[in-house]
Amino acid sequence: MKLIILTGAPASGKSSIAEAVGAKLGIDVISKDGFKIELFERYGFTNHAEKKKLSIEGEKIMHDTIKDYVNKNIDLIVDNNFKHFNTVREIISQADVDVVIKCVYCIADYDVLAKRYNDRISSGNRHLALYTLNQYPVIDGISEFHPLITRDDVERIEQGIQEFTFGQEVLEINTDNIESEFETICSRVIEFIS
């Protein structure tokens, strides 16, 4: 089976690319953020500590889902900004099937990433679970939004990464111009996966 991992900094385009490629290839796509949204809609959170717990639980569900797909020998695309791949490595080492890992590492200039992230937060188009710090889904009220970030913030985030890529087959994609080059980027990823 193929385990396709899209990783990189926040706002590097992982989710957009993963969804488009998954749709074109007919491969399921999962992400920690997707599971985090499901948990938020079920339980909500009222502060950042509770939000962090949902994130940790979302990551656990993501890993359990990866294990399930591997055990069933079904191709899967995983979209996440991994800090390391220890759990994925353990899942694969225990698998009874051959797993081909294809890792797509999305990179962009830190200034571009900060601007994209800030635009995303300011737009209000993202799910509440991903851009608020203290939102409970049942109660309307004032929400604290994620603060805007700078190039230095992106650099600090990246310094916390222990492993940027995983596996022997890695495609590094620059997404500085993802808006104008989206189809080309997706075609490169599809070609790499195939």
Side-chain angles (χ1 to χ4, degrees), residues 8 16-17 27 36 41 53 61 66 76 78 82 104 108 123 144 148 150-152 164 166 178 187-188:
S16 299
I17 296 167
I27 300 174
K36 188 171 156 182
E41 290 177 348
K53 285 181 184 178
I61 295 169
I66 292 170
L76 180 66
V78 180
F82 290 90
V104 179
S123 74
E144 181 183 350
L148 299 181
T150 66
R151 175 193 217 316
D152 292 341
F164 289 98
F166 178 61
I178 194 169
S187 293
R188 285 188 62 204

Side-chain angles (χ1 to χ4, degrees), residues 65-82:
T65 305
I66 292 170
K67 185 175 183 177
D68 186 50
Y69 273 74
V70 167
N71 289 336
K72 291 177 179 174
N73 201 21
I74 301 171
D75 293 349
L76 180 66
I77 296 174
V78 180
D79 148 35
N80 192 43
N81 55 336
F82 290 90

Side-chain angles (χ1 to χ4, degrees), residues 12-172:
S12 61
K14 301 180 301 293
S15 300
S16 299
I17 296 167
E19 290 297 331
V21 168
K24 286 184 181 178
L25 295 179
I27 300 174
D28 290 344
V29 178
I30 64 166
S31 71
K32 178 179 77 174
D33 282 351
F35 294 118
K36 188 171 156 182
I37 288 168
E38 288 177 23
L39 290 168
F40 171 83
E41 290 177 348
R42 191 175 312 152
Y43 304 110
F45 55 76
T46 58
N47 58 53
H48 194 65
E50 290 177 6
K51 180 178 182 175
K52 183 70 177 166
K53 285 181 184 178
L54 286 192
S55 185
I56 291 167
E57 186 60 26
E59 188 168 40
K60 182 184 177 307
I61 295 169
M62 178 191 71
H63 285 124
D64 289 345
T65 305
I66 292 170
K67 185 175 183 177
D68 186 50
Y69 273 74
V70 167
N71 289 336
K72 291 177 179 174
N73 201 21
I74 301 171
D75 293 349
L76 180 66
I77 296 174
V78 180
D79 148 35
N80 192 43
N81 55 336
F82 290 90
K83 289 188 177 175
H84 59 75
F85 297 92
N86 295 343
T87 306
V88 176
R89 188 176 283 112
E90 184 180 331
I91 290 166
I92 291 168
S93 72
Q94 296 173 357
D96 290 332
V97 298
D98 289 329
V99 180
V100 176
I101 302 151
K102 302 266 188 168
C103 184
V104 179
Y105 178 44
C106 299
I107 61 164
D109 181 82
Y110 290 171
D111 287 320
V112 171
L113 291 171
K115 181 182 181 330
R116 251 190 235 153
Y117 181 89
N118 293 336
D119 289 349
R120 201 164 68 177
I121 294 302
S122 301
S123 74
N125 291 333
R126 291 200 52 147
H127 192 281
L128 284 171
L130 304 179
Y131 78 98
T132 60
L133 299 176
N134 63 336
Q135 176 72 34
Y136 188 78
V138 183
I139 301 170
D140 288 332
I142 298 171
S143 295
E144 181 183 350
F145 297 103
H146 276 280
L148 299 181
I149 65 172
T150 66
R151 175 193 217 316
D152 292 341
D153 295 322
V154 175
E155 189 170 355
R156 270 193 295 283
I157 292 167
E158 289 293 278
Q159 287 173 350
I161 304 299
Q162 297 168 17
E163 290 180 277
F164 289 98
T165 63
F166 178 61
Q168 294 179 332
E169 295 186 51
V170 177
L171 174 65
E172 189 172 292

